[in-house]
Amino acid sequence: MPLRAWQRCHAALTELAALALAVGLAGPATAATAATAAAAAAPAAGTWTEVGSDRADPLTESQGLASVEVPAGSPNRYTGIGTIPLSLSGRGWNHVGDPDASYDGHYVEPYQRDDGNTKMFRVQAPDGRWSEYVHTLSPGEALNNSWSAISPNGQWMLSGEWGTMNRLLVFPTPGVNPSTSPSANLPQAATVRLDHAVRDVQGCDFLDATTLLCSSDDPAGTLFGVTKPLLRIDLSAAPNGTADVTGHVTALRQLPLRSACSGTFEAEGIDYDRRTGTLRVIVVSPGFCVLTDSKTYRFTRS
C-alpha cells in the first residue's frame, strides 16, 4: 500500500487492538453486510471456487502469507505489523509485505521504509538462519515493496510496485541464487512487461513456471470492471534474469467482500500451495471489523 495509507492503517490497527483489549471483544459490530459487485469472467483461464475461510488476525496475519515445504511439516507463515522484529522497525523497516518461500525452504519477506532509496528482503534459510538483502532503487522505481514471488526453479524472484503499473520487477532470489550476497546490492535483473495495466497489487504467487496468480486491492474497478480482483498473469517465458518477458493479464473474479461492517475492504497477500492445489488470499474487513471478521479465504480450481 502507499506509504501514507500504510501509516494511517498502522495507526488505526494499533488503536483498534487497544480498544479490543479494553472491551474484551464483546462482539462484532452490527452493520449491514457489504454488497458484492459482479465478478469479471474469464472462462478460458479456469475457475477458482471459494471452499472455506479462516479468521485473519489483524496484527499478525493482515499483510501476507506463504506455505513452506521445507523442513517437512512446516506451518504456514503469515506477516503483519505484529510480526516485524523490533530490531528492524528500530532501523526504519516499518512495513512488511506478502512473503514467499522457495521449494527448498528459503523464506523471503519484503520490507519497506518511509523514506530513502532502498528496499529490503529478509531471508530465512532452511537451517533457521536469517540474513538481509538490500536493493537500491533503480531509476523511476517506486519505494513500495508489497510482495515477493519466487519462481519454481528458485533462482528468480518477482516483486511489484504500488499504484497503476504496467510492469513487474525481476530479481535474483536472495539467499538462493548464487549471485546474491547480503554484503552487496541486490540488483534488478529484468522486467515483466504487462499487456494490461494492474493497480495496487498486494501479492503474487507462481501457479507454474509461466503463470502467476495475483491479488489486487484496486478500489476503482475501472481496469477490469470489478474491484479487488483476483488476477492471472501468463508469462511469455519463465523469467531467467537475462531478458525481459511479457505478461498477459486476465481478471478471474472478484475476491470475497463480506463483513458485519460496511466500508472499504483491503485485499492483501496471496499463496498457492502446489501440494494441495489450494489458493489462499487475505481480505481485511472495514472499520472495527478488521478485528473480528477479516478472513483468509481458500479456493480450489475447477
Side-chain angles (χ1 to χ4, degrees), residues 65-299:
L65 69 171
S67 51
V68 181
E69 298 187 17
V70 177
S74 297
N76 294 326
R77 305 288 291 268
Y78 293 86
T79 57
I81 61 174
T83 70
I84 301 174
L86 291 176
S87 61
L88 294 186
S89 60
R91 289 187 280 127
W93 300 111
N94 59 2
H95 179 272
V96 60
D98 184 40
D100 199 15
S102 62
Y103 294 161
D104 72 352
H106 284 80
Y107 170 73
V108 180
E109 293 180 340
Y111 281 84
Q112 69 186 52
R113 56 194 305 151
D114 294 345
D115 53 22
N117 66 341
T118 57
K119 302 175 180 179
M120 191 266 283
F121 296 91
R122 183 172 179 249
V123 181
Q124 186 176 37
D127 63 7
R129 290 180 297 175
W130 288 95
S131 53
E132 298 175 12
Y133 295 76
V134 175
H135 163 67
T136 300
L137 302 185
S138 302
E141 181 181 349
L143 186 62
N144 309 94
N145 195 17
S146 298
W147 54 273
S148 60
I150 301 173
S151 63
N153 69 8
Q155 295 301 302
W156 305 100
M157 178 183 71
L158 271 56
S159 186
E161 303 155 282
W162 187 260
T164 303
M165 292 289 167
N166 290 284
R167 68 176 186 177
L168 306 177
L169 309 178
V170 182
F171 299 91
T173 305
V176 182
N177 189 302
S179 70
T180 64
S181 169
S183 61
N185 177 59
L186 182 70
Q188 181 184 339
T191 302
V192 176
R193 305 288 180 185
L194 304 177
D195 68 352
H196 191 294
V198 297
R199 183 179 292 128
D200 300 349
V201 172
Q202 292 276 51
C204 290
D205 208 352
F206 278 89
L207 179 65
D208 55 46
T210 58
T211 309
L212 290 166
L213 295 172
C214 303
S215 54
S216 166
D217 190 46
D218 182 1
T222 55
L223 295 178
F224 299 99
V226 63
T227 62
K228 319 293 182 181
L230 172 66
L231 303 177
R232 172 173 168 146
I233 301 177
D234 293 288
L235 306 179
S236 58
N240 61 18
T242 61
D244 293 352
V245 299
T246 59
H248 173 62
V249 185
T250 306
L252 300 181
R253 57 164 293 161
Q254 186 183 55
L255 294 169
L257 305 177
R258 297 194 298 271
S259 174
C261 296
S262 60
T264 302
F265 292 80
E266 185 164 9
E268 292 286 357
I270 192 169
D271 174 72
Y272 175 70
D273 190 335
R274 62 172 181 163
R275 297 167 296 181
T276 62
T278 301
L279 177 70
R280 297 181 299 142
V281 185
I282 298 172
V283 179
V284 174
S285 295
F288 183 86
C289 289
V290 66
L291 293 170
T292 59
D293 61 18
S294 296
K295 293 286 194 299
T296 297
Y297 290 95
R298 301 190 304 274
F299 305 86

